[in-house]
Amino acid sequence: MIGAMVNVMDQYLETLLMTLTQFLFVLLAAPLFSGILTRLKSMVESRKGPSIFQPYRDIWKLLHKETVFPNNSGTIFRYGPYAIMGIYSLISLIVPILVPVPIFFTASADFLGGAILFSLAAFIKLAAALESGSNFMTMGAVRALSFNFLSEGTLITVFFAVSLITGTNNPYVTNSFLSSNPIQGISLEHIFATLAFLMLFFYETGKLPLESSGLMEMGMIEEGMNYEYSGKLLAINRWSSHIKQYILGSILLNVFLFPWFLQSSFPWYILDIPIMFLKWMLLIFIVLVIETSLAKMRLFRIQDYLATAFAFSILFLIFGVVVG
Amino acid sequence: MNPFENVIFLAAAMATVAGFYIQAQEFIRSMIRGQLIQSIIIAGIVFILAYLESSPDLVILGILVLVLRGYLVTALLERRIPGNESYVYEKGIGVASHIIMDLVFIILATFIVFSLVFSGIHFSISGGIAGSTIIVFPLAIFFQGLFLIGSRNTTFSQIMGYVEEENALVLFALFIIPVPLIIETSVFLDVLALVVISSIVVMEKFSHEPMEELRG
Protein backbone atom coordinates (compact mmCIF):
# COMPACT_ATOMS: atom_id res chain seq x y z
CA MET A 1 0.00 0.00 0.00
CA ILE A 2 2.70 2.45 1.09
CA GLY A 3 4.82 1.37 -1.90
CA ALA A 4 1.94 2.11 -4.25
CA MET A 5 1.41 5.52 -2.63
CA VAL A 6 5.09 6.36 -2.98
CA ASN A 7 4.88 5.30 -6.62
CA VAL A 8 1.90 7.57 -7.21
CA MET A 9 3.68 10.45 -5.44
CA ASP A 10 6.77 9.87 -7.58
CA GLN A 11 4.67 9.99 -10.75
CA TYR A 12 2.90 13.11 -9.48
CA LEU A 13 6.24 14.81 -8.81
CA GLU A 14 7.62 13.78 -12.21
CA THR A 15 4.56 15.19 -13.98
CA LEU A 16 4.75 18.35 -11.87
CA LEU A 17 8.41 18.83 -12.80
CA MET A 18 7.64 18.22 -16.49
CA THR A 19 4.77 20.71 -16.34
CA LEU A 20 6.90 23.36 -14.68
CA THR A 21 9.76 22.77 -17.12
CA GLN A 22 7.47 23.12 -20.16
CA PHE A 23 5.65 26.17 -18.78
CA LEU A 24 8.80 28.02 -17.70
CA PHE A 25 10.66 27.10 -20.90
CA VAL A 26 7.86 28.48 -23.08
CA LEU A 27 7.53 31.61 -20.95
CA LEU A 28 11.25 32.37 -20.71
CA ALA A 29 12.68 31.04 -23.98
CA ALA A 30 10.00 32.30 -26.40
CA PRO A 31 11.53 35.80 -26.80
CA LEU A 32 14.97 34.26 -27.43
CA PHE A 33 13.86 32.63 -30.72
CA SER A 34 12.50 35.97 -31.96
CA GLY A 35 15.84 37.55 -31.02
CA ILE A 36 17.85 34.88 -32.87
CA LEU A 37 15.69 35.27 -35.99
CA THR A 38 16.05 39.06 -35.98
CA ARG A 39 19.81 38.82 -35.48
CA LEU A 40 20.29 36.23 -38.25
CA LYS A 41 18.09 38.23 -40.60
CA SER A 42 20.26 41.30 -39.97
CA MET A 43 23.41 39.30 -40.65
CA VAL A 44 22.02 38.00 -43.97
CA GLU A 45 21.15 41.59 -44.90
CA SER A 46 24.75 42.70 -44.07
CA ARG A 47 23.66 44.64 -40.99
CA LYS A 48 25.04 44.21 -37.50
CA GLY A 49 21.57 43.95 -35.98
CA PRO A 50 20.42 43.83 -32.36
CA SER A 51 21.59 41.30 -29.80
CA ILE A 52 19.67 38.03 -29.57
CA PHE A 53 18.61 39.18 -26.08
CA GLN A 54 17.05 42.41 -27.36
CA PRO A 55 13.44 41.13 -26.93
CA TYR A 56 14.17 40.58 -23.19
CA ARG A 57 15.63 44.08 -22.89
CA ASP A 58 12.58 45.56 -24.63
CA ILE A 59 10.19 43.73 -22.32
CA TRP A 60 12.23 44.75 -19.25
CA LYS A 61 12.32 48.39 -20.36
CA LEU A 62 8.59 48.47 -21.06
CA LEU A 63 7.77 46.84 -17.72
CA HIS A 64 9.47 49.79 -15.99
CA LYS A 65 7.69 52.48 -18.00
CA GLU A 66 4.50 54.28 -17.12
CA THR A 67 1.25 52.87 -18.55
CA VAL A 68 -0.98 55.47 -20.17
CA PHE A 69 -4.58 54.78 -21.26
CA PRO A 70 -6.56 56.72 -23.87
CA ASN A 71 -9.49 58.66 -22.36
CA ASN A 72 -12.18 56.66 -24.15
CA SER A 73 -10.70 53.20 -23.59
CA GLY A 74 -12.83 50.47 -22.01
CA THR A 75 -12.36 47.56 -19.63
CA ILE A 76 -11.40 44.97 -22.26
CA PHE A 77 -8.67 47.33 -23.49
CA ARG A 78 -7.24 47.57 -19.96
CA TYR A 79 -7.44 43.91 -18.97
CA GLY A 80 -7.36 42.16 -22.37
CA PRO A 81 -3.56 41.71 -22.49
CA TYR A 82 -3.62 39.80 -19.18
CA ALA A 83 -6.40 37.50 -20.46
CA ILE A 84 -4.49 36.90 -23.74
CA MET A 85 -1.30 36.08 -21.84
CA GLY A 86 -3.31 33.67 -19.66
CA ILE A 87 -4.83 31.96 -22.72
CA TYR A 88 -1.45 31.47 -24.40
CA SER A 89 -0.03 30.17 -21.10
CA LEU A 90 -2.86 27.61 -20.96
CA ILE A 91 -2.29 26.57 -24.59
CA SER A 92 1.39 26.05 -23.76
CA LEU A 93 0.29 23.28 -21.38
CA ILE A 94 -2.16 21.64 -23.81
CA VAL A 95 -0.01 20.95 -26.86
CA PRO A 96 3.25 18.95 -27.10
CA ILE A 97 5.64 21.84 -27.54
CA LEU A 98 8.42 20.53 -25.32
CA VAL A 99 7.60 17.31 -23.42
CA PRO A 100 5.87 14.73 -25.68
CA VAL A 101 3.81 13.13 -22.86
CA PRO A 102 0.67 14.53 -21.21
CA ILE A 103 1.29 16.88 -18.27
CA PHE A 104 -1.02 18.76 -15.89
CA PHE A 105 -3.77 20.73 -17.70
CA THR A 106 -3.26 18.68 -20.89
CA ALA A 107 -6.72 17.18 -20.43
CA SER A 108 -8.35 20.64 -20.36
CA ALA A 109 -8.63 20.75 -24.17
CA ASP A 110 -7.83 18.79 -27.33
CA PHE A 111 -6.59 20.03 -30.71
CA LEU A 112 -9.86 21.75 -31.55
CA GLY A 113 -9.99 23.19 -28.04
CA GLY A 114 -6.50 24.62 -28.67
CA ALA A 115 -7.68 26.12 -31.98
CA ILE A 116 -10.70 27.64 -30.23
CA LEU A 117 -8.44 29.10 -27.50
CA PHE A 118 -6.32 30.71 -30.23
CA SER A 119 -9.52 32.13 -31.72
CA LEU A 120 -10.61 33.38 -28.26
CA ALA A 121 -7.28 35.19 -27.81
CA ALA A 122 -7.68 36.76 -31.27
CA PHE A 123 -11.26 37.79 -30.38
CA ILE A 124 -10.18 39.44 -27.11
CA LYS A 125 -7.41 41.28 -28.92
CA LEU A 126 -9.91 42.56 -31.51
CA ALA A 127 -12.44 43.55 -28.85
CA ALA A 128 -9.70 45.37 -26.93
CA ALA A 129 -8.65 47.21 -30.11
CA LEU A 130 -12.25 48.25 -30.79
CA GLU A 131 -12.56 49.56 -27.21
CA SER A 132 -9.42 51.67 -27.42
CA GLY A 133 -11.11 54.74 -28.86
CA SER A 134 -8.25 55.05 -31.36
CA ASN A 135 -8.59 55.16 -35.13
CA PHE A 136 -5.33 53.37 -35.71
CA MET A 137 -6.23 50.44 -33.46
CA THR A 138 -9.66 50.16 -35.07
CA MET A 139 -7.98 50.15 -38.48
CA GLY A 140 -5.71 47.30 -37.30
CA ALA A 141 -8.74 45.40 -35.99
CA VAL A 142 -10.68 45.84 -39.22
CA ARG A 143 -7.69 44.68 -41.25
CA ALA A 144 -7.24 41.64 -39.01
CA LEU A 145 -10.93 40.78 -39.36
CA SER A 146 -10.70 41.05 -43.16
CA PHE A 147 -8.10 38.28 -43.15
CA ASN A 148 -8.88 36.21 -40.05
CA PHE A 149 -12.02 34.65 -41.53
CA LEU A 150 -9.70 32.69 -43.82
CA SER A 151 -6.87 32.09 -41.34
CA GLU A 152 -9.12 30.78 -38.55
CA GLY A 153 -10.87 28.50 -41.06
CA THR A 154 -7.49 27.18 -42.18
CA LEU A 155 -6.34 26.65 -38.59
CA ILE A 156 -9.40 24.58 -37.70
CA THR A 157 -9.30 22.63 -41.00
CA VAL A 158 -5.63 21.82 -40.51
CA PHE A 159 -6.38 20.50 -37.03
CA PHE A 160 -9.29 18.49 -38.50
CA ALA A 161 -6.84 17.05 -41.03
CA VAL A 162 -4.39 15.77 -38.41
CA SER A 163 -7.26 14.49 -36.27
CA LEU A 164 -8.67 12.49 -39.17
CA ILE A 165 -5.28 11.20 -40.33
CA THR A 166 -4.32 9.88 -36.91
CA GLY A 167 -7.81 8.99 -35.70
CA THR A 168 -7.61 11.19 -32.61
CA ASN A 169 -7.79 14.84 -31.73
CA ASN A 170 -5.35 14.47 -28.87
CA PRO A 171 -2.16 16.27 -29.99
CA TYR A 172 0.07 14.02 -27.85
CA VAL A 173 -1.27 10.87 -29.53
CA THR A 174 -0.82 12.56 -32.92
CA ASN A 175 2.80 13.40 -32.10
CA SER A 176 3.42 9.83 -30.93
CA PHE A 177 1.68 8.36 -34.02
CA LEU A 178 3.68 10.50 -36.44
CA SER A 179 7.03 10.07 -34.69
CA SER A 180 6.60 6.27 -34.63
CA ASN A 181 5.78 6.18 -38.37
CA PRO A 182 8.48 6.42 -41.04
CA ILE A 183 8.39 9.27 -43.53
CA GLN A 184 6.95 6.97 -46.26
CA GLY A 185 3.79 6.54 -44.20
CA ILE A 186 2.97 10.22 -44.37
CA SER A 187 -0.15 10.83 -46.40
CA LEU A 188 -1.01 13.44 -49.01
CA GLU A 189 -3.40 15.12 -46.56
CA HIS A 190 -0.55 15.47 -44.07
CA ILE A 191 1.81 16.99 -46.66
CA PHE A 192 -0.72 19.62 -47.74
CA ALA A 193 -1.91 20.28 -44.16
CA THR A 194 1.76 20.93 -43.28
CA LEU A 195 2.10 23.33 -46.19
CA ALA A 196 -1.10 25.13 -45.17
CA PHE A 197 0.04 25.37 -41.53
CA LEU A 198 3.45 26.71 -42.61
CA MET A 199 1.70 29.42 -44.64
CA LEU A 200 -0.54 30.12 -41.64
CA PHE A 201 2.50 30.35 -39.35
CA PHE A 202 3.92 33.10 -41.58
CA TYR A 203 0.63 35.01 -41.44
CA GLU A 204 -0.01 34.61 -37.72
CA THR A 205 3.52 35.66 -36.77
CA GLY A 206 3.59 38.57 -39.25
CA LYS A 207 6.57 37.33 -41.24
CA LEU A 208 7.43 38.24 -44.82
CA PRO A 209 5.92 38.06 -47.41
CA LEU A 210 3.02 39.29 -45.25
CA GLU A 211 4.93 41.46 -42.79
CA SER A 212 2.33 42.90 -40.46
CA SER A 213 4.51 43.59 -37.45
CA GLY A 214 6.13 46.79 -38.66
CA LEU A 215 4.85 50.31 -38.09
CA MET A 216 4.36 51.15 -41.77
CA GLU A 217 0.79 52.30 -42.10
CA MET A 218 0.19 50.49 -45.38
CA GLY A 219 0.94 47.10 -43.88
CA MET A 220 0.41 47.21 -40.16
CA ILE A 221 -2.04 44.78 -38.64
CA GLU A 222 -0.49 43.43 -35.43
CA GLU A 223 1.24 46.70 -34.51
CA GLY A 224 -1.96 48.55 -35.37
CA MET A 225 -3.71 46.66 -32.61
CA ASN A 226 -0.87 47.52 -30.17
CA TYR A 227 -0.76 51.18 -31.13
CA GLU A 228 -2.29 52.75 -28.00
CA TYR A 229 -0.71 50.33 -25.54
CA SER A 230 2.21 51.51 -23.47
CA GLY A 231 4.33 50.44 -20.52
CA LYS A 232 3.43 47.22 -18.78
CA LEU A 233 0.51 46.33 -21.06
CA LEU A 234 2.64 46.73 -24.19
CA ALA A 235 5.32 44.53 -22.58
CA ILE A 236 2.70 41.85 -21.90
CA ASN A 237 1.37 42.08 -25.46
CA ARG A 238 4.87 41.72 -26.90
CA TRP A 239 5.61 38.79 -24.61
CA SER A 240 2.32 37.15 -25.64
CA SER A 241 3.29 37.55 -29.30
CA HIS A 242 6.61 35.79 -28.65
CA ILE A 243 4.79 32.97 -26.81
CA LYS A 244 2.23 32.66 -29.64
CA GLN A 245 5.06 32.43 -32.16
CA TYR A 246 6.79 29.76 -30.10
CA ILE A 247 3.58 27.73 -29.67
CA LEU A 248 2.64 27.85 -33.37
CA GLY A 249 6.22 27.12 -34.48
CA SER A 250 6.52 24.20 -32.07
CA ILE A 251 3.17 22.73 -33.19
CA LEU A 252 4.41 23.05 -36.77
CA LEU A 253 7.62 21.23 -35.83
CA ASN A 254 6.28 18.57 -33.45
CA VAL A 255 2.99 17.71 -35.12
CA PHE A 256 3.54 18.44 -38.80
CA LEU A 257 7.08 18.96 -39.99
CA PHE A 258 9.53 17.14 -37.73
CA PRO A 259 7.89 15.11 -34.94
CA TRP A 260 10.91 12.92 -34.17
CA PHE A 261 13.59 12.81 -31.42
CA LEU A 262 11.64 14.14 -28.40
CA GLN A 263 12.38 12.29 -25.13
CA SER A 264 9.48 11.33 -22.87
CA SER A 265 11.08 9.47 -19.97
CA PHE A 266 12.06 11.06 -16.66
CA PRO A 267 14.69 12.62 -16.25
CA TRP A 268 15.79 12.44 -19.91
CA TYR A 269 12.94 14.73 -20.91
CA ILE A 270 15.30 17.56 -19.96
CA LEU A 271 17.15 16.78 -23.22
CA ASP A 272 14.05 18.07 -25.03
CA ILE A 273 15.27 21.62 -24.31
CA PRO A 274 18.38 21.36 -26.56
CA ILE A 275 16.41 19.18 -29.02
CA MET A 276 13.68 21.83 -29.34
CA PHE A 277 16.38 24.46 -29.68
CA LEU A 278 17.90 22.55 -32.62
CA LYS A 279 14.48 22.00 -34.18
CA TRP A 280 13.78 25.71 -33.88
CA MET A 281 17.08 26.42 -35.62
CA LEU A 282 15.72 24.39 -38.56
CA LEU A 283 12.48 26.40 -38.57
CA ILE A 284 14.40 29.68 -38.21
CA PHE A 285 16.50 28.67 -41.22
CA ILE A 286 13.35 28.02 -43.30
CA VAL A 287 11.84 31.35 -42.18
CA LEU A 288 15.12 33.15 -42.86
CA VAL A 289 15.39 31.81 -46.41
CA ILE A 290 11.79 32.80 -47.19
CA GLU A 291 11.97 36.18 -45.44
CA THR A 292 15.19 37.23 -47.15
CA SER A 293 14.19 36.07 -50.63
CA LEU A 294 10.59 37.29 -50.99
CA ALA A 295 9.29 40.83 -51.25
CA LYS A 296 6.41 42.08 -49.13
CA MET A 297 2.95 41.45 -50.55
CA ARG A 298 0.54 44.34 -50.82
CA LEU A 299 -2.04 44.40 -48.04
CA PHE A 300 -5.02 43.35 -50.16
CA ARG A 301 -3.03 40.40 -51.53
CA ILE A 302 -2.97 38.75 -48.09
CA GLN A 303 -6.45 37.37 -48.79
CA ASP A 304 -5.12 35.61 -51.90
CA TYR A 305 -2.31 34.09 -49.87
CA LEU A 306 -4.69 32.89 -47.16
CA ALA A 307 -7.18 31.56 -49.73
CA THR A 308 -4.35 29.43 -51.15
CA ALA A 309 -3.52 28.11 -47.66
CA PHE A 310 -7.22 27.37 -47.11
CA ALA A 311 -7.42 25.52 -50.46
CA PHE A 312 -4.37 23.43 -49.53
CA SER A 313 -5.82 22.56 -46.14
CA ILE A 314 -9.27 21.53 -47.29
CA LEU A 315 -8.92 20.06 -50.80
CA PHE A 316 -6.88 16.97 -50.07
CA LEU A 317 -8.58 16.49 -46.72
CA ILE A 318 -11.90 16.10 -48.51
CA PHE A 319 -10.41 14.00 -51.30
CA GLY A 320 -8.65 11.79 -48.78
CA VAL A 321 -11.48 11.32 -46.33
CA VAL A 322 -14.82 11.75 -48.11
CA VAL A 323 -13.95 10.39 -51.53
CA GLY A 324 -11.23 7.97 -50.43
CA MET B 1 1.36 2.40 -50.40
CA ASN B 2 4.67 1.63 -52.09
CA PRO B 3 7.06 4.54 -52.77
CA PHE B 4 6.13 4.74 -56.49
CA GLU B 5 2.44 4.90 -55.62
CA ASN B 6 3.22 7.74 -53.18
CA VAL B 7 5.15 9.62 -55.85
CA ILE B 8 2.34 9.18 -58.41
CA PHE B 9 -0.29 10.38 -55.92
CA LEU B 10 1.87 13.38 -55.01
CA ALA B 11 2.54 14.21 -58.68
CA ALA B 12 -1.17 13.97 -59.52
CA ALA B 13 -1.90 16.25 -56.55
CA MET B 14 0.74 18.72 -57.79
CA ALA B 15 -0.95 18.73 -61.22
CA THR B 16 -4.18 19.73 -59.42
CA VAL B 17 -2.30 22.47 -57.55
CA ALA B 18 -0.92 23.68 -60.92
CA GLY B 19 -4.57 23.95 -61.99
CA PHE B 20 -5.21 26.29 -59.06
CA TYR B 21 -2.16 28.31 -60.08
CA ILE B 22 -3.51 28.71 -63.61
CA GLN B 23 -6.93 29.69 -62.24
CA ALA B 24 -5.48 32.29 -59.89
CA GLN B 25 -3.22 33.97 -62.45
CA GLU B 26 -4.06 37.35 -63.94
CA PHE B 27 -1.08 37.41 -66.31
CA ILE B 28 -1.48 35.45 -69.53
CA ARG B 29 2.17 34.43 -69.72
CA SER B 30 2.05 33.03 -66.16
CA MET B 31 -1.04 30.99 -67.06
CA ILE B 32 0.76 29.50 -70.06
CA ARG B 33 3.76 28.68 -67.86
CA GLY B 34 1.37 27.05 -65.39
CA GLN B 35 0.08 24.84 -68.20
CA LEU B 36 3.70 23.98 -69.04
CA ILE B 37 4.33 22.90 -65.43
CA GLN B 38 1.15 20.80 -65.42
CA SER B 39 2.17 19.09 -68.67
CA ILE B 40 5.68 18.36 -67.33
CA ILE B 41 4.17 16.80 -64.20
CA ILE B 42 1.88 14.62 -66.33
CA ALA B 43 4.84 13.61 -68.52
CA GLY B 44 6.67 12.68 -65.29
CA ILE B 45 3.77 10.43 -64.26
CA VAL B 46 3.82 8.78 -67.71
CA PHE B 47 7.56 8.11 -67.41
CA ILE B 48 7.14 6.57 -63.93
CA LEU B 49 4.39 4.28 -65.25
CA ALA B 50 6.59 3.46 -68.27
CA TYR B 51 9.36 2.43 -65.88
CA LEU B 52 7.00 0.33 -63.75
CA GLU B 53 5.46 -1.40 -66.75
CA SER B 54 8.66 -1.50 -68.82
CA SER B 55 6.52 -0.20 -71.67
CA PRO B 56 8.18 1.54 -74.66
CA ASP B 57 4.73 2.82 -75.71
CA LEU B 58 4.46 4.86 -72.51
CA VAL B 59 7.98 6.25 -73.02
CA ILE B 60 6.91 7.49 -76.46
CA LEU B 61 3.72 8.88 -74.92
CA GLY B 62 5.75 10.75 -72.28
CA ILE B 63 7.99 12.24 -74.97
CA LEU B 64 4.88 13.23 -76.97
CA VAL B 65 3.40 14.97 -73.93
CA LEU B 66 6.65 16.86 -73.40
CA VAL B 67 7.11 17.86 -77.04
CA LEU B 68 3.51 18.54 -78.11
CA ARG B 69 1.96 19.80 -74.88
CA GLY B 70 5.04 21.08 -73.07
CA TYR B 71 6.87 22.72 -75.95
CA LEU B 72 4.67 23.27 -79.02
CA VAL B 73 1.42 24.35 -77.33
CA THR B 74 3.35 26.62 -74.92
CA ALA B 75 5.43 28.17 -77.70
CA LEU B 76 2.39 28.69 -79.96
CA LEU B 77 0.39 30.38 -77.22
CA GLU B 78 3.29 32.55 -76.02
CA ARG B 79 3.84 33.83 -79.55
CA ARG B 80 0.23 34.93 -79.72
CA ILE B 81 0.45 37.20 -76.67
CA PRO B 82 -0.21 40.68 -78.11
CA GLY B 83 3.03 42.51 -78.71
CA ASN B 84 4.89 39.60 -77.08
CA GLU B 85 4.80 41.53 -73.81
CA SER B 86 4.83 39.73 -70.50
CA TYR B 87 2.52 42.17 -68.74
CA VAL B 88 -0.67 41.41 -70.70
CA TYR B 89 -3.25 40.47 -68.12
CA GLU B 90 -6.95 39.98 -67.59
CA LYS B 91 -8.48 42.74 -65.51
CA GLY B 92 -10.78 42.32 -62.54
CA ILE B 93 -9.65 38.89 -61.34
CA GLY B 94 -10.29 38.42 -57.62
CA VAL B 95 -7.70 35.78 -56.84
CA ALA B 96 -9.09 34.77 -53.41
CA SER B 97 -12.67 34.57 -54.67
CA HIS B 98 -11.62 32.59 -57.77
CA ILE B 99 -9.65 30.09 -55.68
CA ILE B 100 -12.52 29.59 -53.21
CA MET B 101 -15.14 29.30 -55.99
CA ASP B 102 -12.90 26.89 -57.92
CA LEU B 103 -12.38 24.88 -54.73
CA VAL B 104 -16.11 24.63 -54.02
CA PHE B 105 -16.92 23.80 -57.66
CA ILE B 106 -14.34 21.05 -58.09
CA ILE B 107 -15.04 19.47 -54.70
CA LEU B 108 -18.79 19.33 -55.36
CA ALA B 109 -18.47 18.24 -59.01
CA THR B 110 -15.78 15.64 -58.31
CA PHE B 111 -17.65 14.29 -55.31
CA ILE B 112 -20.93 13.96 -57.23
CA VAL B 113 -19.36 12.35 -60.31
CA PHE B 114 -17.13 10.08 -58.25
CA SER B 115 -19.97 8.93 -55.99
CA LEU B 116 -22.36 8.28 -58.88
CA VAL B 117 -19.98 6.71 -61.37
CA PHE B 118 -16.66 5.55 -59.96
CA SER B 119 -17.13 4.67 -56.30
CA GLY B 120 -18.10 1.05 -56.92
CA ILE B 121 -15.38 0.37 -59.49
CA HIS B 122 -12.00 -0.96 -58.42
CA PHE B 123 -9.27 0.01 -60.88
CA SER B 124 -6.02 -1.79 -61.25
CA ILE B 125 -3.72 0.90 -62.50
CA SER B 126 -0.39 0.26 -64.18
CA GLY B 127 2.56 -0.83 -62.08
CA GLY B 128 0.40 -2.60 -59.50
CA ILE B 129 -1.11 0.64 -58.28
CA ALA B 130 -4.64 -0.24 -57.26
CA GLY B 131 -7.59 1.75 -56.02
CA SER B 132 -10.12 4.14 -57.39
CA THR B 133 -9.15 7.21 -55.32
CA ILE B 134 -6.49 8.34 -57.78
CA ILE B 135 -9.29 9.02 -60.29
CA VAL B 136 -10.27 12.10 -58.25
CA PHE B 137 -7.20 13.97 -59.52
CA PRO B 138 -7.98 13.83 -63.27
CA LEU B 139 -11.62 14.55 -62.39
CA ALA B 140 -10.57 17.59 -60.37
CA ILE B 141 -8.30 18.86 -63.16
CA PHE B 142 -11.09 18.35 -65.69
CA PHE B 143 -13.52 20.44 -63.63
CA GLN B 144 -10.82 23.06 -63.04
CA GLY B 145 -10.49 23.42 -66.82
CA LEU B 146 -14.25 23.72 -67.12
CA PHE B 147 -14.37 26.37 -64.39
CA LEU B 148 -11.53 28.29 -66.04
CA ILE B 149 -13.49 28.44 -69.31
CA GLY B 150 -16.62 29.52 -67.49
CA SER B 151 -15.04 32.11 -65.22
CA ARG B 152 -12.82 34.08 -67.63
CA ASN B 153 -13.39 36.37 -70.56
CA THR B 154 -10.15 36.24 -72.49
CA THR B 155 -9.74 33.81 -75.38
CA PHE B 156 -6.38 32.77 -73.93
CA SER B 157 -7.98 31.65 -70.67
CA GLN B 158 -10.54 29.64 -72.56
CA ILE B 159 -7.87 27.90 -74.63
CA MET B 160 -5.97 27.23 -71.40
CA GLY B 161 -9.12 25.71 -69.89
CA TYR B 162 -9.47 23.45 -72.91
CA VAL B 163 -5.81 22.36 -72.74
CA GLU B 164 -6.26 21.68 -69.03
CA GLU B 165 -9.26 19.47 -69.78
CA GLU B 166 -7.15 17.58 -72.32
CA ASN B 167 -4.41 17.15 -69.70
CA ALA B 168 -7.06 15.68 -67.40
CA LEU B 169 -8.14 13.25 -70.12
CA VAL B 170 -4.55 12.07 -70.62
CA LEU B 171 -4.27 11.37 -66.89
CA PHE B 172 -7.71 9.77 -66.87
CA ALA B 173 -6.82 7.44 -69.72
CA LEU B 174 -3.54 6.53 -68.05
CA PHE B 175 -5.18 5.66 -64.75
CA ILE B 176 -8.22 3.78 -66.05
CA ILE B 177 -7.07 1.69 -68.99
CA PRO B 178 -3.96 1.71 -71.20
CA VAL B 179 -5.21 3.45 -74.35
CA PRO B 180 -3.40 2.45 -77.59
CA LEU B 181 -0.64 4.90 -78.43
CA ILE B 182 -2.12 5.76 -81.82
CA ILE B 183 -5.31 7.09 -80.17
CA GLU B 184 -3.34 9.15 -77.63
CA THR B 185 -1.16 10.57 -80.41
CA SER B 186 -4.15 11.52 -82.53
CA VAL B 187 -5.70 13.27 -79.51
CA PHE B 188 -2.50 15.25 -78.97
CA LEU B 189 -2.32 16.28 -82.61
CA ASP B 190 -6.00 17.18 -82.50
CA VAL B 191 -5.37 19.48 -79.55
CA LEU B 192 -2.37 20.99 -81.28
CA ALA B 193 -4.46 21.74 -84.37
CA LEU B 194 -7.14 23.27 -82.17
CA VAL B 195 -4.59 25.47 -80.39
CA VAL B 196 -3.26 26.66 -83.77
CA ILE B 197 -6.80 27.53 -84.92
CA SER B 198 -7.66 29.12 -81.56
CA SER B 199 -4.54 31.25 -81.62
CA ILE B 200 -5.88 32.79 -84.84
CA VAL B 201 -9.13 33.53 -82.98
CA VAL B 202 -7.01 35.26 -80.31
CA MET B 203 -5.73 37.68 -82.93
CA GLU B 204 -9.28 38.28 -84.06
CA LYS B 205 -10.78 38.81 -80.64
CA PHE B 206 -8.88 39.08 -77.34
CA SER B 207 -11.84 38.68 -74.98
CA HIS B 208 -15.42 37.47 -75.08
CA GLU B 209 -18.42 38.88 -73.22
CA PRO B 210 -20.95 36.37 -71.89
CA MET B 211 -23.47 35.19 -74.49
CA GLU B 212 -22.43 37.80 -77.04
CA GLU B 213 -22.08 35.20 -79.79
CA LEU B 214 -25.70 34.16 -79.30
CA ARG B 215 -27.15 37.61 -79.95
CA GLY B 216 -29.21 37.97 -83.10
Side-chain angles (χ1 to χ4, degrees), chain A residues 114-253:
Chain A
I116 289 164
L117 283 172
F118 269 115
S119 302
L120 179 66
F123 172 77
I124 293 174
K125 193 152 196 177
L126 285 164
L130 292 172
E131 274 209 346
S132 64
S134 153
N135 285 347
F136 260 118
M137 286 192 76
T138 313
M139 182 191 73
V142 170
R143 283 178 176 179
L145 279 170
S146 316
F147 307 129
N148 279 8
F149 77 100
L150 278 169
S151 71
E152 297 296 333
T154 310
L155 185 70
I156 290 175
T157 319
V158 160
F159 284 162
F160 264 132
V162 280
S163 304
L164 289 166
I165 293 161
T166 56
T168 171
N169 57 359
N170 182 333
Y172 287 88
V173 180
T174 307
N175 173 262
S176 161
F177 174 87
L178 292 170
S179 56
S180 58
N181 272 292
I183 200 156
Q184 290 93 335
I186 290 175
S187 62
L188 207 56
E189 296 93 298
H190 185 88
I191 293 169
F192 282 94
T194 305
L195 199 57
F197 197 81
L198 182 67
M199 291 174 81
L200 194 68
F201 173 74
F202 275 81
Y203 169 72
E204 291 283 352
T205 54
K207 303 265 181 283
L208 279 171
L210 313 159
E211 191 168 36
S212 61
S213 52
L215 274 170
M216 283 188 301
E217 190 188 335
M218 291 305 285
M220 70 181 187
I221 302 171
E222 180 76 19
E223 279 304 310
M225 290 197 286
N226 281 339
Y227 203 74
E228 293 293 341
Y229 280 114
S230 57
K232 198 186 288 179
L233 291 181
L234 183 57
I236 291 170
N237 266 351
R238 290 262 161 85
W239 203 344
S240 301
S241 298
H242 295 311
I243 294 174
K244 181 186 174 187
Q245 174 179 284
Y246 178 79
I247 293 171
L248 285 171
S250 302
I251 293 173
L252 177 64
L253 287 166

Side-chain angles (χ1 to χ4, degrees), chain A residues 150 184 188 191-192 301 303-304 307-308 310-312 314-316 318-319 322-324, chain B residues 6 9-10 13-14 17 20 26 95-96 99-100 103 106-107 111 114 133 136-137 140:
Chain A
L150 278 169
Q184 290 93 335
L188 207 56
I191 293 169
F192 282 94
R301 287 280 182 200
Q303 277 188 347
D304 305 344
T308 311
F310 183 68
F312 279 153
I314 206 160
L315 180 69
F316 297 101
I318 291 180
F319 278 1
V322 181
V323 179
Chain B
N6 266 333
F9 263 82
L10 189 61
M14 291 313 292
V17 172
F20 274 107
E26 292 167 59
V95 177
I99 290 178
I100 301 290
L103 185 70
I106 66 164
I107 283 175
F111 180 64
F114 186 86
T133 48
V136 298
F137 296 112

Side-chain angles (χ1 to χ4, degrees), chain A residues 11-20 90 93-94 101-108 172:
Chain A
Q11 277 185 355
Y12 184 84
L13 270 175
E14 282 175 15
T15 313
L16 183 68
L17 276 173
M18 284 177 172
T19 309
L20 283 173
L90 178 61
L93 297 170
I94 291 172
V101 285
I103 48 176
F104 289 126
F105 299 105
T106 295
S108 35
Y172 287 88

Side-chain angles (χ1 to χ4, degrees), chain A residues 273-293:
Chain A
I273 293 175
I275 289 169
M276 274 314 288
F277 190 80
L278 290 173
K279 282 186 175 190
W280 258 91
M281 287 298 110
L282 172 77
L283 184 60
I284 285 174
F285 176 73
I286 295 170
V287 172
L288 195 65
V289 169
I290 295 172
E291 276 218 303
T292 50
S293 48

Side-chain angles (χ1 to χ4, degrees), chain B residues 55-84:
Chain B
S55 160
D57 275 9
L58 287 175
V59 176
I60 297 168
L61 183 66
I63 294 167
L64 276 173
V65 173
L66 275 182
V67 174
L68 295 178
R69 202 57 66 77
Y71 176 71
L72 275 178
V73 171
T74 309
L76 274 169
L77 286 172
E78 282 200 338
R79 275 185 200 173
R80 290 297 172 196
I81 294 176
N84 206 16

